[in-house]
Amino acid sequence: MTVFAPTDNAFSSLKAGTLNSLSSQQQVQLVQFHVLPSFISVSQFQTVSNPLRTQAGDTSPGDFPLNVTTSGNQVNVSTGIVDATVGNTIYTDGELAVYQVDKVLQPLSIFASPSPATAPAPATPETSNLKKKSPAALSPSSGSDDTPADKSGADSVNGVAVLGIGAFCFAFWL
């Protein structure tokens, strides 16, 4: 097994609210995206076939492709969203390798921008009548605001949770 472990700075540099905006399933997939099912030594990165399969799933374009490039002893990991550099080896024993990366690896299937929306359909008599109503008549009467509260401060808690899950998996593997 091979694990890419982002630094604290990698989590800190994420846009505020990034981790909180993910569903529970996406959070699991994000952790799994940092894990390869096989052991890869630093020297083996020179000859791996891209894209690499992660524990998150499919390597199809738009899903969970992870590509590795090397230049001398430097190893770079690309997700299609971010390019990260492997900083150093945290642990290796021939069966498990843990490498420090300078960015959180963001899979396309979770972080890619949605495709542009199609143009709205032309107005019909029913929808054109809506335009004649006053804005007050169209607004909700309860006065509630459906805008989610800013939870940007909780991202550091989620970052710790992600690292905790990774540490648990690491300890379980040992």
Side-chain angles (χ1 to χ4, degrees), residues 60-129:
S60 300
D63 285 335
F64 296 99
L66 187 65
N67 293 296
V68 174
T69 57
T70 59
S71 177
N73 288 335
Q74 181 174 334
V75 177
N76 296 312
V77 182
S78 176
T79 69
I81 302 284
V82 297
D83 296 316
T85 300
V86 174
N88 61 49
T89 302
I90 297 172
Y91 177 85
T92 186
D93 67 3
E95 292 183 25
L96 173 68
V98 181
Y99 300 107
Q100 177 182 326
V101 289
D102 64 347
K103 293 184 181 159
V104 175
L105 303 178
Q106 299 175 18
L108 285 168
S109 66
I110 297 173
F111 293 97
S113 299
S115 59
T118 57
T124 61
E126 295 89 29
T127 58
S128 59
N129 286 340

Side-chain angles (χ1 to χ4, degrees), residues 3-4 9 35-36 47 50 78-79 89 107 115 117 147 153 163:
V3 177
F4 295 108
N9 285 339
V35 180
L36 305 178
T47 59
N50 286 316
S78 176
T79 69
T89 302
S115 59
T147 306
L163 288 176

Side-chain angles (χ1 to χ4, degrees), residues 1 3 55 91 93 95-96 98 163-174:
M1 181 178 286
V3 177
Q55 290 295 98
Y91 177 85
D93 67 3
E95 292 183 25
L96 173 68
V98 181
L163 288 176
I165 291 168
F168 173 78
C169 291
F170 177 72
F172 180 73
W173 179 257
L174 294 177

